[in-house]
Amino acid sequence: MRAWINGQLLTDPKAPAVPVTDHGLTVGDAVFEAVKVVGGEPFALQRHLDRLERSAEGLGLVGLDLADVRRGVAAVLEGDPLPLGRLRITVTGGNAPLGSGRGNDPLTVIVVASPMEPAPETTAVITVPWPRNERGALAGLKTTSYGENVVALARAQAAGASEAVFANLAGHLCEGTGTNVFYVVDGQVRTPTLASGCLAGVTRALLIEWFGATEVDEPIEVAAGADEVFLVSTTRDVQGVHRWDHRELAAPGPVTRAAAQAWRDNEASLIGFDR
């Protein structure tokens, strides 16, 4: 693991480096991105930085310098290249009073690089009873306020699954804790619209571009009963679902395999610091 904070590469990436008054720590006032690393280079970096900027603007964080973030990315990836890894880019509200109100200090910018293992070809998911609020102030923003996801993912893991899937307040399929959900009905690939409250995933957008899908909002039961289901995310790419709650699915199905192949065919085009 390598860590860079506010312009400095840490000699010990796990040493204390953020003050106890940092607003990201005290109230979750922060945004982040997870970026895949392939052969020592980032994948779709500019798309992730664009979303980081949108999330920061949506949360009201002022003063984000993407050139500074890029310097952090270069610093943690310099040296022995990671064959496969991930970057975690976090931007917090900086030092602030111990409450919801922000202070006047600069933002805290953190970039961490660490290795990761390839995701399994298929996985299991469960439906959780807590809805996403598609009308909430944070809907569609990638913030560090992940307490709801922690609770949902713990329930999924207790049930032998690796992901929890949320409906929204309308009862429509929304997303997983860290994934977008695609499903196949009568040969048609579907995924929720951004109006569902789901995150505008970088992998989601690229798969729609490279493979195609119909964006539609419909009851979560339709997806749970689909012919095929697959998850997409930075750390999973395209991953088939072999069980949803107590329903077994043949996975990866033919459409899922074709989507995964489309991803492999196009991924190299976005590997590099200028992509």
Side-chain angles (χ1 to χ4, degrees):
M1 180 183 290
R2 303 167 194 159
W4 176 98
I5 299 181
N6 292 339
Q8 183 174 358
L9 189 66
L10 303 185
T11 55
D12 180 356
K14 295 185 178 181
V18 175
V20 296
T21 51
D22 189 276
H23 223 216
L25 173 65
T26 56
V27 298
D29 183 23
V31 297
F32 79 99
E33 285 292 320
V35 182
K36 185 178 179 181
V37 177
V38 181
E41 295 190 276
F43 170 75
L45 179 60
Q46 188 59 53
R47 291 181 183 239
H48 282 284
L49 294 181
D50 289 344
R51 187 175 62 182
L52 183 73
E53 192 170 46
R54 292 194 301 271
S55 293
E57 182 179 353
L59 195 58
L61 297 177
V62 178
L64 174 62
D65 181 353
L66 293 184
D68 189 40
V69 176
R70 281 185 170 274
R71 285 190 286 273
V73 170
V76 298
L77 292 181
E78 186 178 7
D80 294 335
L82 288 171
L84 181 64
R86 79 174 105 186
L87 297 167
R88 164 78 182 222
I89 303 169
T90 307
V91 179
T92 85
N95 189 50
L98 297 177
S100 296
R102 291 193 174 109
N104 298 314
D105 282 14
L107 304 178
T108 298
V109 182
I110 304 167
V111 184
V112 179
S114 63
M116 71 175 183
E117 295 296 323
E121 188 176 39
T122 69
T123 193
V125 306
I126 67 165
T127 311
V128 289
W130 311 289
R132 287 288 204 225
N133 181 1
E134 68 272 26
R135 302 192 297 273
L138 301 184
L141 303 181
K142 197 169 180 66
T143 76
T144 61
S145 299
Y146 256 41
E148 185 177 72
N149 287 344
V150 171
V151 173
L153 193 55
R155 175 172 287 201
Q157 291 170 343
S162 78
E163 182 60 303
V165 178
F166 295 89
N168 60 19
L169 293 174
H172 294 155
L173 173 65
C174 185
E175 62 184 352
T177 66
T179 61
N180 291 110
V181 184
F182 286 70
Y183 55 103
V184 181
V185 177
D186 295 331
Q188 182 186 57
V189 182
R190 302 177 184 176
T191 196
T193 73
L194 297 182
S196 70
C198 71
L199 184 71
V202 170
T203 308
R204 172 191 182 275
L206 288 172
L207 192 68
I208 291 173
E209 178 182 331
W210 291 341
F211 186 67
T214 298
E215 297 177 79
V216 59
D217 294 321
E218 55 189 349
I220 192 171
E221 291 81 8
V222 175
D227 302 321
E228 296 181 43
V229 180
F230 57 90
L231 308 177
V232 304
S233 75
T234 292
T235 57
R236 299 176 191 247
D237 294 338
V238 177
Q239 184 182 48
V241 171
H242 62 252
R243 176 168 55 85
W244 187 323
D245 292 331
H246 299 295
R247 179 174 180 251
E248 300 289 336
L249 295 92
V255 178
T256 303
R257 287 196 297 270
Q261 185 61 53
W263 183 266
R264 290 190 292 269
D265 289 344
N266 289 277
E267 183 182 55
S269 67
L270 287 179
I271 295 174
F273 285 88
D274 58 348
R275 304 297 177 89

